[in-house]
Amino acid sequence: MTDTGTEPDSTATSGSDAIGSPTGQDLTTVSSSAAGAESTEQDPPAAAGVDAGAESTEQDLPASGDDGADFGAQFRRQRTALLVIGAIGILLIGFAVGVLARIPLDRNAEPDPSAVDTGFSQDMSAHHAQAVDMAGVALIGSTDNDVRRLAYDILTTQQAQLGRLQGWLQLWGKSMQDVDGYMGWMTEPAGGGHDHVGGPAGRPMSGPMPTMPGMATNAEMTALRQATGPALDTMFLQLMLRHHQGGMSMIRYAAEHAETTAVRSLASTMETTQRGEAQLMTTMLTSRGASPLPLT
């Protein structure tokens, strides 16, 4: 055991000695007490994500008995709480990024946001919100590491993008949702009129839609929350793949027709990311002997 009261300063501050010595891990820990240092090393930081928090908590669970059941229920509540807290933090960060992203637009005197900018931000916010919900269910309920890793990536990425979209709507003085329906902003002059494009499965639209392509129904979301094991994994992959495919027409339209650079750039990023995730989910479904759901 190292006598910290008599150790020379040169030994405590030498990076190479600390790393090379068997007790280097103790010497490099900056803490007011040894007990505090051990507690800090064992507890994962909150910013590292829900996954790390959950794994840390699982180590304390009893193996069996009534007390084990109580602790198991407490663990599930704690893991859900960590997920909610993490999601809120990501949303706030995304919102702040959206606010800061508006500053360069103001300086460069870019055009005001058009109906495409506003409509895309409103509708994609709702689209992303369901994807975050589905990813949260899979992250908590799945025991497949590949599925949980994908769910975590989708949850964090789309929650941050959701914050940016809502931050722009706040700056533009627009409501968070268009009460008249979805995708009415996807119009383009053609032959002196306005042809609506990008409806369900690529069919033309005659006006705002009551729902967006690829969205899961209430019954499907309920079934996903109740599923367990491989059935949960397969259902999540099928619903999320269809969800990605359904939102692609909106993403591509915004990337091409939005007025502001920020919206066009974000839409382009979404297209690249979600195309890669869709390919991954297709492969994962094939390996599980399952097929994608038809896009409605």
Side-chain angles (χ1 to χ4, degrees):
M1 179 178 296
T2 304
D3 184 355
T4 57
T6 61
E7 189 71 11
D9 292 341
S10 61
T11 302
T13 58
S14 174
S16 60
D17 292 344
I19 295 174
S21 66
T23 59
Q25 184 175 357
D26 297 333
L27 292 175
T28 55
T29 304
V30 180
S31 174
S32 58
S33 65
E38 294 176 359
S39 174
T40 303
E41 292 176 353
Q42 294 175 0
D43 295 336
V50 180
D51 201 12
E55 292 176 359
S56 175
T57 310
E58 288 178 347
Q59 297 174 359
D60 299 330
L61 294 178
S64 61
D66 293 339
D67 292 340
D70 292 341
F71 276 109
Q74 182 180 4
F75 160 66
R76 287 189 293 271
R77 290 194 297 269
Q78 290 175 344
R79 186 166 61 174
T80 302
L82 286 171
L83 175 61
V84 173
I85 292 172
I88 292 174
I90 295 169
L91 179 62
L92 293 176
I93 293 173
F95 186 91
V97 171
V99 172
L100 294 174
R102 179 63 186 173
I103 296 175
L105 299 184
D106 293 336
R107 290 176 179 172
N108 296 333
E110 285 211 1
D112 292 333
S114 66
V116 174
D117 297 83
T118 301
F120 173 75
S121 298
Q122 292 170 331
D123 290 354
M124 194 52 64
S125 289
H127 210 265
H128 270 24
Q130 188 181 76
V132 169
D133 191 4
M134 288 193 292
V137 173
L139 182 61
I140 292 176
S142 177
T143 57
D144 188 300
N145 286 335
D146 291 334
V147 172
R148 297 182 72 239
R149 187 178 297 109
L150 172 64
Y152 178 80
D153 289 343
I154 293 174
L155 186 150
T156 53
T157 299
Q158 296 208 15
Q159 188 71 285
Q161 292 173 347
L162 174 58
R164 294 180 67 180
L165 295 167
Q166 294 186 341
W168 293 331
L169 290 170
Q170 179 74 17
L171 286 169
W172 298 335
K174 303 296 183 180
S175 63
M176 294 296 164
Q177 182 176 350
D178 185 353
V179 296
D180 294 329
Y182 302 105
M183 301 172 68
W185 47 275
M186 294 179 65
T187 62
E188 184 176 14
H194 288 80
D195 293 335
H196 292 249
V197 297
R203 295 190 296 270
M205 298 190 309
S206 58
M209 305 292 292
T211 187
M212 290 175 283
M215 295 287 284
T217 64
N218 291 334
E220 287 172 333
M221 289 300 299
T222 298
L224 179 65
R225 294 187 181 97
Q226 294 174 349
T228 58
L232 168 62
D233 300 332
T234 299
M235 189 179 302
F236 166 71
L237 292 171
Q238 289 175 324
L239 292 176
M240 187 61 76
L241 175 58
R242 187 183 67 183
H243 196 273
H244 275 25
Q245 293 170 338
M248 194 57 65
S249 61
M250 291 189 291
I251 291 172
R252 289 172 177 166
Y253 192 91
E256 184 176 345
H257 296 286
E259 291 289 338
T260 63
T261 302
V263 172
R264 290 197 305 272
S265 176
L266 179 59
S268 296
T269 298
M270 288 180 184
E271 181 177 1
T272 301
T273 301
Q274 293 194 26
R275 184 186 295 113
E277 290 172 346
Q279 293 174 348
L280 174 60
M281 286 186 281
T282 300
T283 301
M284 293 172 72
L285 283 171
T286 300
S287 68
R288 289 166 170 78
S291 301
L293 298 174
L295 180 61
T296 55

